[in-house]
Amino acid sequence: MASPASDLRAEPDPSVAELLAARAQLRMDPFEGLMLEEVALRTVADALGTPVWVTSAGTLRGRYRQLADALDEAGLDAQLHYAVKANDHLAVLRVLQAEGAGADVVSAGELRRALLAGIAPDRIVFSGVGKSDDELMLALDSSIAQINVESREELDRLSVLADGAGRVARVVLRVNPDVDANTHAKISTGRAGDKFGIAHDEAPGLYALAATLPAIEPIGFAVHIGSQIADPAPFRAAYARVAALVRQVRAAGHAVSTVDCGGGLGIGYRDEPAGSPRALAHAIRLTLGGLGLRLLLEPGRWLAAPAGVLLSRVVRVKRQAEGPPFVVLDCAMNDLLRPSLYDSWHGVVPLSARDAVAPALPVHLVGPVCETGDTLARGRLMPELSCGARVAILDTGAYGSVMSSTYNARPLAAQALVDGARWATIRPRQPVAALWAGESVPDWIAAAGAGTAG
Ligand code: LLP
């Protein structure tokens, strides 16, 4: 049977000290244990129980500024539109809004969240291959900055809807540049054959067509080639293709004011190199600089992932006659889906300073859900943990809580926000009864079962 990649790695897993050294937002206090900013995470776990997601507002702000500064230093006229899907909590949106972020949304729900968090409509862009009529109408009625159209069929439909509503839709065409981002296949979006975007060769014709439609105002192009990309080369390749399109379409007499460079910048989860904002800014400047364009970026993971941890407790240590023990945590694939879905690697650090210096041994970290896929790490070398020990699962601020489900009738975990020395609950643990609150049993089914129970 194939083993997850962590079983096969030659290099040892990074130590707790190495994981913390690479993350300025975290440190181990000898008395307080693991700290996120100035808050001892055990305090949050004591108060709210586990599992609990904890997000650092200071980290979100710091990373936003780092990315914005890199774009400024490269002399680019660029605006950041946070990809709401990475972490859509209102408090997260509000922190980023206060820093000046706009939003990239992909559903009516995300659009409404962004508006609720105070993000101005003219700082919101709407992406996605399958926007419904209701979603397109909401975008039009909200007068958002632009709709990123992904197909000719979508353009036709939007034209009809905008015309009927007496509105003009500002549109950018999302192009599929056929560039392989060399990332996980499930999060690669810019190869020919992926469902996203308009084929590069068809884009100029569609732009010209869009310009003839009375209710459509084409303003530019968008490109997003995938996620968790550290190497600037695929970004450069994709942006160069878009720059060529801009020149071609302008030469045909059309105005092009905007290029949306998408998201995708990766982080270092294990010991792989992190994506560099400066290298990304450089790739943009080399390709799209000097064209007099208004540029947009849609970062999600790079801003939010390192800002969050998931706290969990060991419920059982199950020893085997042979091989590493199973350390069973109280969080599972329903909370953090990424390891099950993408075999992704997340650092795990004990909350207690004493646990953190215990001798390192290989363990299988698993959750309680009834699937073998509910595995956080196999053969992970980490300090030995006993029952009741608590850990932080790192870099879970993006694509963490948002991808949770209630599988196995497990309520959604609580959420907290840390800001300097302060912290607050930002979502209580979902009560178990909320799981069936909206359910009903049809009369005839209920009647058929009456009297047979017990
Ligand atoms: N813009 C568009 C059109 C996108 O589809 C995405 C992400 C982003 C921006 C933000 O990309 P980022 O900067 O976060 O890489 N659930 C997966 C990631 C899915 C990304 C989907 N699209 C994961 O956990 O790795």
Side-chain angles (χ1 to χ4, degrees):
M1 199 188 101
S3 319
S6 56
D7 270 345
L8 308 172
R9 284 186 191 276
E11 332 84 71
D13 291 307
S15 66
V16 167
E18 285 166 337
L19 288 170
L20 296 182
R23 290 163 179 80
Q25 66 278 24
L26 291 166
R27 75 188 158 85
M28 190 63 79
D29 180 278
F31 304 105
E32 300 292 337
L34 189 63
M35 311 280 295
L36 180 59
E37 300 196 48
E38 295 311 311
V39 173
L41 287 169
R42 69 172 167 79
T43 318
V44 179
D46 285 347
L48 297 184
T50 53
V52 55
W53 305 92
V54 190
T55 307
S56 152
T59 307
L60 288 170
R61 292 188 196 102
R63 294 183 73 84
Y64 184 90
R65 287 173 199 169
Q66 213 181 313
L67 193 46
D69 288 351
L71 296 164
D72 275 355
E73 283 161 22
L76 296 168
D77 171 19
Q79 291 183 329
L80 297 179
H81 288 242
Y82 169 62
V84 170
K85 65 172 77 67
N87 186 330
D88 63 12
H89 193 288
L90 288 174
V92 168
L93 299 183
R94 190 69 193 204
V95 166
L96 291 170
Q97 179 269 344
E99 290 300 311
D104 160 47
V105 302
V106 293
S107 67
E110 285 191 357
L111 174 50
R112 295 186 59 180
R113 273 184 179 275
L115 292 169
L116 205 55
I119 297 176
D122 66 0
R123 297 296 314 283
I124 298 178
V125 304
F126 201 144
S127 308
V129 287
K131 303 175 201 82
S132 67
D133 284 6
D134 285 350
E135 288 176 322
L136 291 171
M137 281 311 299
L138 180 65
L140 289 169
D141 288 343
S142 307
S143 299
I144 66 168
Q146 72 194 40
I147 298 175
N148 293 4
V149 164
E150 299 238 8
S151 60
R152 186 197 174 111
E153 294 78 0
E154 184 184 357
L155 184 68
D156 290 345
R157 189 65 197 149
L158 179 59
S159 171
V160 169
L161 291 172
D163 218 13
R167 295 186 180 275
V168 174
R170 271 179 307 277
V171 157
V172 311
L173 299 186
R174 176 168 174 184
V175 177
N176 182 325
D178 193 17
V179 168
D180 191 341
N182 294 319
T183 184
H184 193 287
K186 288 187 182 167
I187 54 174
S188 187
T189 55
R191 301 162 302 184
D194 290 337
K195 68 177 174 178
F196 299 96
I198 294 154
H200 189 267
D201 294 348
E202 289 168 24
L206 202 57
Y207 202 89
L209 171 73
T212 66
L213 300 172
I216 300 285
E217 182 193 359
I219 59 170
F221 295 100
V223 68
H224 171 79
I225 55 172
S227 195
Q228 183 55 9
I229 305 163
D231 178 4
F235 286 121
R236 213 166 43 232
Y239 299 151
R241 298 213 77 190
V242 173
L245 274 181
V246 171
R247 291 195 180 90
Q248 186 182 342
V249 166
R250 279 181 175 169
H254 300 290
V256 180
S257 63
T258 304
V259 166
D260 182 339
C261 299
L265 195 61
I267 65 153
Y269 282 99
R270 189 178 189 270
D271 43 13
E272 70 276 29
S276 151
R278 294 178 81 172
L280 178 64
H282 186 65
I284 296 174
R285 191 163 65 89
L286 279 181
T287 49
L288 293 161
L291 290 174
L293 290 163
R294 187 176 71 95
L295 299 169
L296 274 57
L297 269 83
E298 302 171 350
R301 183 193 315 269
W302 195 89
L303 292 176
V309 293
L310 171 60
L311 307 185
S312 182
R313 188 171 49 84
V314 176
V315 285
R316 191 136 301 117
V317 179
K318 181 180 169 188
R319 305 203 179 273
Q320 311 190 80
E322 262 176 57
F326 290 101
V327 172
V328 189
L329 299 171
D330 68 354
C331 75
M333 65 190 285
N334 73 295
D335 301 297
L336 179 66
L337 182 59
R338 302 194 71 255
S340 304
L341 197 54
Y342 316 114
D343 282 330
S344 62
W345 196 101
H346 285 268
V348 180
V349 171
L351 293 198
S352 132
R354 191 169 341 130
D355 286 348
V357 294
L361 293 172
V363 296
H364 299 322
L365 285 166
V366 300
V369 159
C370 299
E371 296 202 22
T372 299
D374 183 23
T375 297
L376 175 58
R378 280 188 68 82
R380 174 71 60 88
L381 192 61
M382 62 172 297
E384 194 178 4
L385 295 168
S386 43
C387 207
R390 293 179 298 189
V391 295
I393 304 167
L394 308 185
D395 305 318
T396 49
Y399 307 114
S401 55
V402 282
M403 291 174 72
S404 296
S405 73
T406 57
Y407 185 41
N408 279 207
R410 294 170 47 85
L412 296 176
Q415 291 191 45
L417 185 90
V418 161
D419 193 1
R422 287 187 290 192
W423 75 270
T425 307
I426 56 171
R427 191 178 72 188
R429 187 173 312 287
Q430 186 180 36
V432 176
L435 294 176
W436 49 83
E439 296 178 11
S440 56
V441 179
D443 290 348
W444 71 93
I445 303 242
T452 62

